[in-house]
Amino acid sequence: MRSYSRLNNVAGWVVFGLSLLVYLLTLEPTASFWDCGEFIACSYKLLVPHPPGAPTFLLLGRLVSLLSFGDVTKVAVLVNGLSALSSAFTILFLFWSITLLAKKLVLRRPGLHDDRGLEPTLGQTLLILGAGAVGALSFAFSDSFWFNAEEAEVYAMSALGTATVVWLMLKWENRADEADSDKWLVLLAYVIGLSIGVHLLNLLAIPALGFLYYFRRQPTPTWAGGIATLVISFVLVGAILVGIIPGLPTLAGNFEVFFINTLGLPFNSGIVLFMLLLVGLIWVGFRQSFVRRSQLLNTFMLCFVFILIGYSSYLIVPIRSSYHPTINENDPEDVLSFVSYLKREQYGDRPLLYGPQFNAQAVSQQDGAPRYVRQGDKYVVAEHRQELIYRDEDKMLLPRLYSNDPRHIQEYQKWVDLREGVKPTMGQNLSFLFRYQMGHMFWRYFLWNYAGRESDVQQAGTLWPTETSQGLPERVAESKARNQFFAIPLILGLLGLFYQARRDGKNALIVGLLFVFTGLAIVVYLNQPPIEPRERDYTFTGATYAFAIWIGLGVLALADLLGKVVKADTARAGVVTLLGLLAPGLLLAQGWDDHDRSGRYNSVDSARNLLNSCAPNAILFTNGDNDTFPLWYAQEVEGVRTDVRVAVLSYLNTDWYIAQMKRRSYLSQPLPISLDSSRYAQGTNDYLPYAENPSVGEVNLKDFIQLVGQNSDLLKVSYGEGGPTLLSFPSPTFYLPVDTTAVLQSGIIPADRRNQLVEKMEFTVGKRAIEKKSLVILDMLATNNWKRPIYFSSTVVPSDMLGLQPYFQLEGMAYRILPLRDPNYSPKSNDDGYVEKTLMYNKLMNQFQYRGLDNASIFYDENNLRFPANYRDKFVRLANAYLANGDTATAKKVVDKCLAVMPDKAIPYDYYTPQLVPALVAVGERPKANQIMDVMTSRAERSVAYYTTHNSALFDQEVSQALITLQSIYFAAQQVGDQQRASKAMQTLGPYLQGGR
């Protein structure tokens, strides 16, 4: 036994070391896109990220960040390394879990028994360890898990929680007959509690663990016992998911409101009394376990307490929030706002088991849960969350087709044949569940990991062994993410599944339940809409983890199949292990180039460049995670341009964020917001409708903001008898008076633009309701008096720019608002912003960083290709501005710089690139211009031909981009007099312009 145990431990650590080495070699050196920048910043300074937070992750991230020893550029790689380390430990526990299960099969001890006293032979030992290595390494190098291991996100640590609880439960099963075996269950409960502070995914392992417990304690299991076990497991999941996580803080909040509002006690008295009551009830529970001599009750109470101890990491959220840190999402500083934070109420909810279908019409609404705020010495109701009421006939069981968003309805049509105004049938409802939510959003992801992946293009399918690259668009055929595994890991896993099911049905059921509940059950619970901003495969790594167990056991199946060919146990173990290692070997070889992020700096460079686009003490409006979170990282961790105040437009619809913007942050003074907080309170001025007043041709912005501040009756409109009374705006046309003398004296006007200065800025906001975020922008424009520079990121959608585009000046990657009207502005053109050439030249040519964008060996996926496209657009704008001024020498420098820092081999030409053609021709580079047009025309034609004949409904974005590219080529060729190339582009483009598609 000692020999096997020692070899098992050594082999496990070898697999751990190999996995960790791969992860560290391919680790991203800085903050990647999406939530990573936010998590690194919040780890470094223990700030409050988006709900529901991840306090365990943040605390551990803070600890590893201390190893930077003051070098802030090392913080990101250290927190990324925490994910790599978590992933490697996941592989270690997976290895040991597979060997625990494999040993039972090899020693012919199926079921659940204590086999620690049995010593395998050398051949059996090699076979068991080979199974563990093949299964663990296959998961280690699977697409989704490897992706999570490279960045500072919660999913790697969440997988560690799942792997740990499964391993602990298997360890308990081998020791269940010992008197102190329940200590493993208590440790398992503590890990679950800690994992709550990372992500809730590992709670879905509880039903599988429940069956493992039932089978071990019940020698003769029955169907009734199995059903009871399933029900109890669901109750436990619900008790933690609803009863403990938001339930206990909700009860504490109810105590708080009652004791303060009813009994007049000071704030926090209710919380103290609730905690005393909770501790008292726990004491009573333990007392009863001793009185009744109930080991089961005592173990249950210990598990409950240790879950609470692990869950207590969440206390950091209100504690840190009370200090008003620079990132403080939802401001959960008291128990009531903390409950809202835990429940993710800002994101709304989706129907799960019963609810309305997509064309249901609300018949009324009712007040939902109140939102309390402190006022004086009481809690007062700030607003009631409104709940829509639908007719029963408009509801259905398991509603999948629920969203009435027009974009979602359009996407539903791609999967289900729906008719407007007709209630979908249950068959259509289930069709969407099985075809899209399960088929497209789960099985496709699963097969990416173990069969093959077509490319990194969103909606890309599975790459089967019979498929070739012939006829594919270059973007797909040459994608580093085009990974061909020949379905070998999938086949090996299916062999392991059938082998375990035949030899050890109970444990096969447990692994199967783990697969179902961490995969398909999540699909049902999430009820995903038909549009996602990115692929969501990272959500389902629990299922690929469970399948990896079967991949490992597939080695045993191979040994069984080769039993008559290779007689010697040791030789057979060696042969099947080598054959099995083909699976992780393929995964590693195929996946290396698209998972190697070691030279990628694009996200942080884009943040630095955007911040450095702004003048000192600027205000910068952004919109979206990839616009904002890298900026937060750059400012909070590396201290880049902390004088610039980043204002996230979507958050400006909330009162808590506006309140934060009215406070100082580092070198940035409070934003110039004049309206009182009562005018921005949630439920007040959430939107201002357009109510036409023919006598008002245009609205003075300063007067309008003053009237809003006074809650003036002049702006109030009522909607129906008993309906709400709202402030409105009487005309879509606004104007802002400009003190031209003061503006000129301020020095913000470029010398060559003085003749463009206007005495009043006129702009049209449209007739849609003004959201709170737009009201904030208008308030700042009226209040600022040009004292602080105000910018929009160039990635902000035009609908959020309030018609201010005629007054934009393009400065780097941002538009500055100035009281200067661009004489060349045209609403039909996409070229917003006057190009101030000297300023733009200095930023694009001298200040900005483009690290790695010229390196063809670095993999840039779709998200990473969007920001370089913005760079190309700005280079084009600058080159054309110099050409219009007759300065071809400088225009050539700009074009050469663009092509040098972002060559086609590294950053493939995009739809902005053809706009370089006129500049290239003008500076004497016609051969290069022709080469660009020829290459791009060929690519666009192949793309259109492929996607329009291969499920075009899923790839309409790719078709649109190809058509836009052809249109850009056509205009560029026309501009330089190249009729041949213009005609060639039009041949493909023409049918679509005529509505032929």
Side-chain angles (χ1 to χ4, degrees):
M1 180 60 191
R2 290 180 181 176
S3 175
Y4 168 77
S5 178
R6 184 166 58 251
L7 287 173
N8 187 39
N9 288 336
V10 170
W13 286 109
V14 169
V15 169
F16 165 88
L18 177 60
S19 303
L20 182 60
L21 177 63
V22 169
Y23 298 150
L24 293 179
L25 288 174
T26 57
L27 196 70
E28 183 142 0
T30 186
S32 52
F33 283 117
W34 300 107
D35 298 346
C36 301
E38 179 194 28
F39 278 129
I40 294 172
C42 291
S43 295
Y44 182 54
K45 294 185 177 177
L46 287 183
L47 309 175
V48 182
H50 66 274
T56 303
F57 179 90
L58 298 185
L59 288 167
L60 292 173
R62 172 59 180 163
L63 286 176
V64 298
S65 72
L66 296 176
L67 299 176
S68 66
F69 299 109
D71 185 352
V72 293
T73 62
K74 298 293 189 295
V75 171
V77 74
L78 286 167
V79 183
N80 289 341
L82 179 62
S83 288
L85 188 63
S86 299
S87 297
F89 272 111
T90 301
I91 300 308
L92 175 65
F93 289 125
L94 174 58
F95 174 89
W96 284 335
S97 297
I98 294 173
T99 56
L100 280 167
L101 293 170
K103 185 181 178 184
K104 298 178 185 301
L105 291 167
V106 171
L107 297 180
R108 307 288 181 179
R109 293 290 300 271
L112 302 149
H113 304 281
D114 184 353
D115 55 26
R116 287 176 295 160
L118 300 176
E119 179 73 11
T121 65
L122 177 60
Q124 290 173 328
T125 297
L126 293 177
L127 185 59
I128 294 167
L129 299 183
V134 169
L137 290 175
S138 293
F139 183 58
F141 307 135
S142 62
D143 183 57
S144 301
F145 185 73
W146 194 351
F147 180 89
N148 292 338
E150 302 302 288
E151 62 182 22
E153 251 280 17
V154 298
Y155 296 101
M157 194 175 291
S158 174
L160 174 59
T162 300
T164 305
V165 298
V166 171
W167 176 73
L168 286 172
M169 199 67 185
L170 290 171
K171 294 284 283 187
W172 168 86
E173 179 273 321
N174 247 4
R175 295 158 174 76
D177 294 328
E178 296 178 355
D180 63 346
S181 64
D182 285 355
K183 66 186 180 184
W184 294 92
L185 300 179
V186 175
L187 179 58
L188 185 150
Y190 178 60
V191 172
I192 288 176
L194 285 175
S195 297
I196 291 171
V198 180
H199 203 280
L200 302 178
L201 286 177
N202 81 328
L203 295 179
L204 296 172
I206 289 177
L209 304 184
F211 271 90
L212 198 155
Y213 183 91
Y214 171 68
F215 287 147
R216 188 64 175 88
R217 291 300 191 197
Q218 180 54 260
T220 55
T222 63
W223 278 101
I227 293 172
T229 300
L230 192 61
V231 171
I232 292 171
S233 298
F234 280 137
V235 169
L236 285 175
V237 173
I240 298 172
L241 193 62
V242 178
I244 292 179
I245 297 173
L248 290 177
T250 299
L251 280 175
N254 293 338
F255 267 67
E256 175 76 356
V257 172
F258 173 78
F259 282 101
I260 279 67
N261 285 8
T262 304
L263 302 184
L265 296 179
F267 288 123
N268 296 323
S269 300
I271 299 174
V272 172
L273 292 170
F274 173 80
M275 292 299 298
L276 292 174
L277 177 61
L278 179 61
V279 171
L281 290 174
I282 291 172
W283 180 85
V284 169
F286 278 113
R287 179 67 179 168
Q288 286 298 308
S289 71
F290 286 113
V291 169
R292 300 183 181 187
R293 298 186 178 276
S294 172
Q295 181 179 347
L296 181 63
L297 178 58
N298 187 262
T299 301
F300 174 81
M301 291 303 302
L302 282 170
C303 289
F304 174 68
V305 169
F306 272 83
I307 287 175
L308 291 182
I309 292 173
Y311 176 48
S312 67
S313 65
Y314 257 106
L315 291 176
I316 194 176
V317 172
I319 290 172
R320 290 295 295 147
S321 178
S322 65
Y323 285 91
H324 303 296
T326 47
I327 298 177
N328 187 19
E329 299 205 38
N330 284 52
D331 193 22
E333 62 179 346
D334 59 56
V335 66
L336 299 175
S337 55
F338 178 52
V339 170
S340 175
Y341 182 84
L342 287 175
K343 290 181 176 180
R344 296 167 55 95
E345 289 179 348
Q346 76 175 61
Y347 298 116
D349 54 16
R350 302 169 185 168
L352 180 58
L353 299 177
Y354 185 69
Q357 35 78 20
F358 72 93
N359 57 20
Q361 298 296 319
V363 294
S364 64
Q365 62 182 22
Q366 65 182 15
D367 288 342
R371 186 176 72 90
Y372 289 97
V373 296
R374 290 182 178 183
Q375 192 173 98
D377 58 355
K378 300 280 186 182
Y379 287 102
V380 299
V381 178
E383 65 170 332
H384 284 275
R385 296 177 181 85
Q386 296 302 305
E387 297 177 354
L388 298 176
I389 307 299
Y390 297 91
R391 298 179 302 175
D392 289 340
E393 53 265 36
D394 285 338
K395 298 179 182 179
M396 63 194 315
L397 291 172
L398 207 66
R400 305 289 102 179
L401 304 165
Y402 63 89
S403 174
N404 58 9
D405 186 322
R407 297 173 305 157
H408 288 174
I409 295 174
Q410 184 179 358
E411 293 296 318
Y412 287 147
Q413 294 280 6
K414 296 178 181 179
W415 300 94
V416 182
D417 184 18
L418 299 173
R419 286 183 292 172
E420 186 177 353
V422 178
K423 179 180 178 180
T425 65
M426 180 54 74
Q428 291 171 322
N429 195 54
L430 294 178
S431 176
F432 183 74
L433 168 64
F434 289 118
R435 292 186 61 207
Y436 174 76
Q437 293 181 330
M438 288 187 176
H440 192 67
M441 298 301 285
F442 173 74
W443 288 116
R444 177 173 63 103
Y445 293 150
F446 172 75
L447 292 171
W448 275 5
N449 288 279
Y450 295 133
R453 180 173 178 174
E454 195 175 55
S455 72
D456 66 301
V457 174
Q458 188 155 345
Q459 315 288 5
T462 302
L463 183 59
W464 294 105
T466 56
E467 296 184 39
T468 67
S469 298
Q470 187 174 358
L472 293 177
E474 188 174 314
R475 176 74 176 80
V476 175
E478 298 184 6
S479 172
K480 289 183 173 66
R482 185 173 176 83
N483 296 329
Q484 176 61 274
F485 307 138
F486 301 101
I488 288 174
L490 175 66
I491 294 169
L492 192 59
L494 292 174
L495 284 175
L497 163 60
F498 294 127
Y499 182 80
Q500 188 185 34
R502 187 162 55 90
R503 299 291 184 88
D504 189 358
K506 292 178 181 177
N507 278 324
L509 175 62
I510 290 166
V511 178
L513 287 172
L514 187 63
F515 178 86
V516 169
F517 282 105
T518 57
L520 295 173
I522 294 177
V523 171
V524 176
Y525 177 76
L526 290 179
N527 197 5
Q528 288 173 305
I531 300 177
E532 292 285 6
R534 58 171 170 157
E535 300 285 15
R536 300 295 193 184
D537 56 299
Y538 54 83
T539 307
F540 304 108
T541 52
T544 53
Y545 163 89
F547 193 81
I549 295 175
W550 286 325
I551 293 177
L553 300 182
V555 173
L556 308 186
L558 287 177
D560 197 48
L561 292 172
L562 293 178
K564 295 181 180 179
V565 180
V566 184
K567 301 291 186 180
D569 287 353
T570 304
R572 185 167 63 250
V575 169
V576 297
T577 298
L578 289 175
L579 287 174
L581 286 173
L582 181 61
L586 262 175
L587 292 167
L588 178 62
Q590 288 285 303
W592 184 279
D593 55 359
D594 55 299
H595 289 88
D596 182 9
R597 309 191 201 178
S598 55
R600 194 191 288 177
Y601 294 90
N602 182 28
S603 62
V604 172
D605 280 353
S606 70
R608 285 174 166 269
N609 294 341
L610 180 53
L611 289 170
N612 286 324
S613 298
C614 302
N617 201 31
I619 299 164
L620 174 64
F621 294 118
T622 65
N623 188 27
D625 295 356
N626 284 341
D627 277 359
T628 305
F629 292 158
L631 297 176
W632 285 1
Y633 162 80
Q635 290 189 317
E636 296 289 344
V637 178
E638 298 191 11
V640 178
R641 294 298 307 274
T642 57
D643 61 305
V644 176
R645 177 62 69 91
V646 176
V648 189
L649 288 172
S650 55
Y651 293 170
L652 283 174
N653 277 329
T654 64
D655 52 4
W656 56 266
Y657 189 68
I658 296 171
Q660 291 174 22
M661 292 294 101
K662 295 173 77 171
R663 294 195 290 264
R664 178 172 177 157
S665 175
Y666 301 116
L667 299 179
S668 170
Q669 296 298 321
L671 295 191
I673 299 174
S674 65
L675 295 178
D676 183 78
S677 58
S678 63
R679 297 291 90 216
Y680 286 126
Q682 218 65 22
T684 301
N685 294 330
D686 290 340
Y687 63 93
L688 281 69
Y690 169 59
E692 183 179 11
N693 185 341
S695 64
V696 180
E698 57 183 5
V699 179
N700 184 315
L701 181 58
K702 289 180 177 289
D703 293 342
F704 176 73
I705 293 300
Q706 187 175 6
L707 291 172
V708 172
Q710 296 168 352
N711 197 30
S712 173
D713 292 339
L714 295 174
L715 299 180
K716 289 182 179 178
V717 291
S718 297
Y719 287 86
E721 187 175 345
T725 299
L726 305 172
L727 295 185
S728 65
F729 62 102
S731 170
T733 303
F734 283 74
Y735 70 91
L736 176 65
V738 178
D739 185 344
T740 55
T741 302
V743 168
L744 286 171
Q745 290 176 349
S746 69
I748 65 173
I749 304 301
D752 60 340
R753 298 197 66 191
R754 286 175 175 258
N755 63 331
Q756 298 171 15
L757 182 62
V758 295
E759 294 186 351
K760 69 175 185 177
M761 290 173 55
E762 296 181 311
F763 55 98
T764 302
V765 300
K767 296 182 179 180
R768 295 190 308 169
I770 294 176
E771 295 182 63
K772 186 173 292 182
K773 62 183 179 183
S774 301
L775 181 62
V776 174
I777 296 172
L778 295 175
D779 185 357
M780 283 195 277
L781 282 175
T783 307
N784 185 46
N785 290 324
W786 311 105
K787 293 178 181 177
R788 294 181 66 176
I790 298 179
Y791 291 82
F792 282 96
S793 168
S794 59
T795 54
V796 170
V797 294
S799 59
D800 283 336
M801 294 176 175
L802 300 177
L804 292 164
Q805 290 93 324
Y807 306 97
F808 282 174
Q809 177 169 283
L810 179 60
E811 300 183 7
M813 304 304 295
Y815 299 120
R816 181 174 182 174
I817 304 174
L818 288 171
L820 308 171
R821 187 171 183 91
D822 182 357
N824 301 317
Y825 172 75
S826 170
K828 296 180 180 180
S829 171
N830 292 323
D831 294 340
D832 293 333
Y834 181 92
V835 179
E836 183 58 32
K837 295 185 292 297
T838 303
L839 186 150
M840 277 285 286
Y841 184 92
N842 187 45
K843 292 185 183 301
L844 287 175
M845 304 291 283
N846 302 321
Q847 291 185 14
F848 284 3
Q849 291 183 306
Y850 310 97
R851 288 179 294 175
L853 296 185
D854 60 347
N855 188 344
S857 66
I858 299 174
F859 172 61
Y860 294 103
D861 59 14
E862 278 196 325
N863 293 308
N864 277 276
L865 290 176
R866 288 175 184 144
F867 278 84
N870 291 329
Y871 293 147
R872 280 196 176 122
D873 174 49
K874 305 309 180 287
F875 275 113
V876 166
R877 297 288 308 281
L878 181 58
N880 287 339
Y882 277 112
L883 285 177
N885 204 40
D887 189 349
T888 55
T890 307
K892 186 177 188 307
K893 290 181 182 178
V894 173
V895 173
D896 289 344
K897 177 80 170 183
C898 178
L899 294 174
V901 299
M902 293 174 291
D904 179 53
K905 64 179 182 178
I907 306 295
Y909 294 145
D910 53 63
Y911 47 83
Y912 288 119
T913 307
Q915 298 175 34
L916 286 170
V917 166
L920 283 167
V921 172
V923 300
E925 295 278 359
R926 183 174 282 273
K928 183 63 177 177
N930 292 343
Q931 185 264 343
I932 288 175
M933 287 190 286
D934 291 342
V935 167
M936 296 201 68
T937 300
S938 174
R939 289 177 184 173
E941 287 175 343
R942 290 175 64 184
S943 185
V944 170
Y946 177 78
Y947 285 122
T948 53
T949 56
H950 291 75
N951 206 352
S952 61
L954 287 181
F955 297 101
D956 49 5
Q957 181 177 339
E958 281 66 37
V959 174
S960 296
Q961 287 181 348
L963 295 176
I964 292 171
T965 298
L966 286 168
Q967 187 178 44
S968 184
I969 294 168
Y970 171 78
F971 286 129
Q974 287 275 53
Q975 193 171 342
V976 298
D978 191 336
Q979 294 302 322
Q980 181 182 355
R981 288 182 171 84
S983 298
K984 187 175 182 181
M986 184 55 68
Q987 285 177 3
T988 304
L989 186 62
Y992 296 90
L993 295 177
Q994 298 166 12
R997 185 182 176 197

